[in-house]
């Protein structure tokens, strides 16, 4: 009988990847079958969900993870509450950001539409003077990170989550707008050192904040910083009766800055996953369908679910439409076009990953789009920049 190799290392899985998404997915699926430890099962399911999201299959990503917040039921209720007002999320957050020089926004690592919203926010805030962009996802080794770009294109060494085409496109646009990119995660060696302390989480959170402050804000009183984080790193306040050991990165960063910061949650109010998991179509219910919104009561922005009172505001992601079997939020970046029937000449009985690259991209670049075609499935549509010359590559399992 084949044995699962030691324990699945959630922190380092994929750190040496060459961009072989299909091979990685196949290995994870194999490990999931033979893994006996429940913790391994959870971590493998999380990685599969993240990979599925990167490969254009957000529906499967949601179904592969248990982290679809039940608090999204609160969003459903509030959207129909006459005492609650709704505002376009990008517009409202841009208004709130005018009062600070640090904005921290989270994501679920398996939800590419969160990254699209972050991309649009990065674009908006550039006009407001924000010029530093930090991301937990960036390669923690500064020299490796600096070398990872080829002609303005992020590569598979830029960062694990940057391998998502939606994240990669965010980084491409940020560079074009002149943002200075700030890696701040602890290196694997530093992670190991933190693990030997009494509180690994506290050491990691504090270390992240200190690195961000030193690299982007210290001795730069006019600098403005956006930080892209996963899940709970966005919490800037302690829960009632919370201990010092439960403080998160945003809380430490606020202390270092010495002034209030803006913290934005995208997880708790996300209706997209809730409807996916329930197998429901919300497109016919107007209050659940449309662009993301922020909710206010008595002019005060609402934070929801497990982030209630711990961040400044939650974004409610409502359902969007489908065009050519792809979610319409992919078109939010503007100036895109569909490439229909990609990889039509590949074997129909095999899984195929259709990938689109800019013609000038190096071989190890992050694709500008990709879609996994299941065995026997329809040939996918790729969404690519409107005027750009692109090349399509087909990875057959």
């Amino acid at each position: 009988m084949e044995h699962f190799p030691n324990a699945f290392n959630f922190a380092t899985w994929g750190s040496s990847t060459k961009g072989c998404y299909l091979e990685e997915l196949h290995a994870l699926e194999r490990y999931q079958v033979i893994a006996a430890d429940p913790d391994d099962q959870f971590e493998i399911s999380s990685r599969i969900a993240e990979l599925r999201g990167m490969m254009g299959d957000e529906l499967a990503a949601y179904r592969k993870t248990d982290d679809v917040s039940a608090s999204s039921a609160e969003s459903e209720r509030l959207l129909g509450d006459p005492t609650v007002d709704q505002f376009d999320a990008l517009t409202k957050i841009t208004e709130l950001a005018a009062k600070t020089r640090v904005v921290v926004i989270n994501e679920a690592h398996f939800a590419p539409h969160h990254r699209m919203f972050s991309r649009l926010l990065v674009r908006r805030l550039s006009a407001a003077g924000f010029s530093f962009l930090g991301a937990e996802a960036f390669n923690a080794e500064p020299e490796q990170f600096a070398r990872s770009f080829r002609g303005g294109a992020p590569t598979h060494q830029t960062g694990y989550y940057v391998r998502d085409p939606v994240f990669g496109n965010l980084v491409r646009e940020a560079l074009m707008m002149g943002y200075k990119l700030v890696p701040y995660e602890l290196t694997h060696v530093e992670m190991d050192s933190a693990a030997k302390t009494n509180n690994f989480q506290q050491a990691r959170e504090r270390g992240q904040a200190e690195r961000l402050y030193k690299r982007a804000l210290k001795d730069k009183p006019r600098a403005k910083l956006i930080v892209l984080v996963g899940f709970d790193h966005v919490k800037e306040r302690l829960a009632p009766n919370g201990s010092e050991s439960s403080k998160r990165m945003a809380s430490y960063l606020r202390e270092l800055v010495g002034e209030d910061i803006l913290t934005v949650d995208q997880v708790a109010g996300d209706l997209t996953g809730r409807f996916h998991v329930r197998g429901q179509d919300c497109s016919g219910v107007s209050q659940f369908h449309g662009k993301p919104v922020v909710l206010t009561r008595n002019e005060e922005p609402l934070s929801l679910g497990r982030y209630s009172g711990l961040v400044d505001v939650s974004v409610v992601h409502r359902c969007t439409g489908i065009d050519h079997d792809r979610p319409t939020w992919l078109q939010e970046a503007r100036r895109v076009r569909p490439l229909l029937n990609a990889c039509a000449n590949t074997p129909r009985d095999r899984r195929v990953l259709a990938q689109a690259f800019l013609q000038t991209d190096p071989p190890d670049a992050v694709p500008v789009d990709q879609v996994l075609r299941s065995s026997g499935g329809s040939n996918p549509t790729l969404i690519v920049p409107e005027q750009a010359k692109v090349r399509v590559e087909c990875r057959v399992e």
Side-chain angles (χ1 to χ4, degrees), residues 171-390:
V171 171
R172 289 176 191 257
E173 184 170 348
L175 286 171
M176 290 176 62
M177 290 188 292
Y179 275 92
K180 300 175 183 66
L181 304 185
V182 185
Y184 67 88
E185 179 61 280
L186 275 64
T187 65
H188 291 313
V189 172
E190 291 167 334
M191 287 280 201
D192 289 340
S193 296
K196 297 174 184 177
T197 67
N198 292 331
N199 190 323
F200 165 79
Q201 192 66 50
Q202 188 179 34
R204 182 188 179 199
E205 305 284 342
R206 183 190 292 112
Q208 288 180 339
E210 290 173 347
R211 191 158 295 176
L212 270 171
Y213 180 72
K214 178 180 179 181
R215 293 178 178 176
L217 299 172
K218 186 178 181 181
D219 301 324
K220 302 181 186 75
R222 301 175 69 87
K224 292 187 175 184
L225 167 70
I226 304 169
V227 190
L228 310 179
V229 305
F231 294 102
D232 291 0
H233 297 294
V234 74
K235 293 178 178 177
E236 66 170 305
R237 290 178 281 276
L238 290 175
N241 302 318
S243 66
E244 186 75 10
S245 63
S246 65
K247 283 176 64 173
R248 297 294 184 161
M249 187 280 293
S251 181
Y252 286 112
L253 184 59
R254 183 180 64 170
E255 291 177 357
L256 289 167
V257 174
E259 59 190 73
D260 196 21
I261 65 177
L262 177 64
T263 46
V264 182
D265 154 56
Q266 296 192 79
V267 176
D270 190 348
L271 289 175
T272 307
R274 184 172 174 81
F275 282 101
H276 275 338
V277 170
R278 294 192 311 200
Q280 292 179 329
D281 178 11
C282 68
S283 59
V285 185
S286 59
Q287 69 195 51
F288 299 149
H289 189 266
K291 292 186 177 182
V293 295
V294 162
L295 307 178
T296 69
R297 179 181 279 125
N298 299 325
E299 300 184 357
E300 289 296 320
L302 300 182
S303 53
L304 306 175
R306 76 190 205 210
Y307 299 96
S308 179
L310 308 184
V311 303
D312 293 312
V313 62
S314 288
V315 175
V316 176
H317 284 278
R318 300 184 292 177
C319 297
T320 58
I322 300 293
D323 185 21
H324 298 297
D325 290 326
R326 304 297 303 281
T328 53
W329 59 257
L330 282 168
Q331 302 173 22
E332 292 290 325
R334 300 196 305 263
R335 297 186 295 276
V336 293
R337 60 187 169 95
L339 288 180
L340 305 178
N341 214 30
C343 299
N345 296 323
T346 55
R348 297 302 301 275
D349 60 344
R350 307 280 290 279
R351 288 196 296 190
V352 176
L353 183 62
Q355 298 179 303
F357 299 86
L358 298 185
Q359 194 66 52
T360 55
D361 280 346
D364 59 344
V366 175
V368 293
D369 191 28
Q370 63 181 5
V371 185
L372 179 64
R373 189 196 75 191
S374 60
S375 174
S378 301
N379 294 319
T381 297
L382 292 165
I383 305 298
V384 300
E386 188 175 49
Q387 302 297 328
K389 294 182 178 179
V390 298

Side-chain angles (χ1 to χ4, degrees), residues 8-270:
F8 182 79
N9 192 329
F10 182 79
T12 61
W13 175 265
S15 62
S16 62
T17 181
K18 302 299 183 183
C20 302
Y21 301 85
L22 262 179
E23 290 88 339
E24 187 175 344
L25 179 63
H26 179 80
L28 286 167
E29 290 170 339
R30 171 176 157 270
Y31 287 164
Q32 190 172 42
V33 171
I34 61 178
D37 189 289
D39 289 340
D40 287 339
Q41 283 284 349
F42 172 80
E43 292 176 350
I44 294 167
S45 291
S46 297
R47 281 302 193 208
I48 290 175
E50 293 163 3
L51 263 179
R52 286 281 190 174
M54 292 181 191
M55 297 161 80
D57 193 355
E58 206 172 34
L59 173 57
Y62 273 104
R63 288 178 174 166
K64 276 289 183 184
T65 179
D66 293 328
D67 204 352
V68 176
S69 177
S71 62
S72 57
E74 183 182 10
S75 302
E76 286 189 55
R77 178 179 57 79
L78 290 172
L79 285 170
D81 188 333
T83 69
V84 171
D85 295 312
Q86 302 177 25
F87 296 89
D88 175 78
L90 282 172
T91 301
K92 190 64 174 179
I93 293 170
T94 301
E95 291 175 2
L96 295 171
K99 305 171 185 176
T100 183
R101 64 190 188 108
V102 177
V103 175
V104 183
I105 182 168
N106 75 351
E107 67 168 38
H109 291 315
F110 53 82
H113 66 279
H114 292 176
R115 293 165 182 158
M116 177 61 80
F117 183 84
S118 294
R119 175 183 176 181
L120 299 176
L121 184 62
V122 166
R123 182 187 294 171
R124 287 277 189 103
L125 293 184
S126 175
F130 285 79
S131 60
F132 286 86
L133 178 65
E136 174 192 354
F138 291 158
N139 189 323
E141 300 285 355
E143 292 184 4
Q144 291 181 16
F145 179 73
R147 293 196 305 266
S148 71
F149 294 89
R150 314 267 196 280
T155 67
H156 295 284
Q157 298 305 314
T158 302
Y160 179 79
Y161 295 117
V162 182
R163 300 187 310 151
D164 173 15
V166 182
F167 208 143
N169 292 337
L170 184 164
V171 171
R172 289 176 191 257
E173 184 170 348
L175 286 171
M176 290 176 62
M177 290 188 292
Y179 275 92
K180 300 175 183 66
L181 304 185
V182 185
Y184 67 88
E185 179 61 280
L186 275 64
T187 65
H188 291 313
V189 172
E190 291 167 334
M191 287 280 201
D192 289 340
S193 296
K196 297 174 184 177
T197 67
N198 292 331
N199 190 323
F200 165 79
Q201 192 66 50
Q202 188 179 34
R204 182 188 179 199
E205 305 284 342
R206 183 190 292 112
Q208 288 180 339
E210 290 173 347
R211 191 158 295 176
L212 270 171
Y213 180 72
K214 178 180 179 181
R215 293 178 178 176
L217 299 172
K218 186 178 181 181
D219 301 324
K220 302 181 186 75
R222 301 175 69 87
K224 292 187 175 184
L225 167 70
I226 304 169
V227 190
L228 310 179
V229 305
F231 294 102
D232 291 0
H233 297 294
V234 74
K235 293 178 178 177
E236 66 170 305
R237 290 178 281 276
L238 290 175
N241 302 318
S243 66
E244 186 75 10
S245 63
S246 65
K247 283 176 64 173
R248 297 294 184 161
M249 187 280 293
S251 181
Y252 286 112
L253 184 59
R254 183 180 64 170
E255 291 177 357
L256 289 167
V257 174
E259 59 190 73
D260 196 21
I261 65 177
L262 177 64
T263 46
V264 182
D265 154 56
Q266 296 192 79
V267 176
D270 190 348

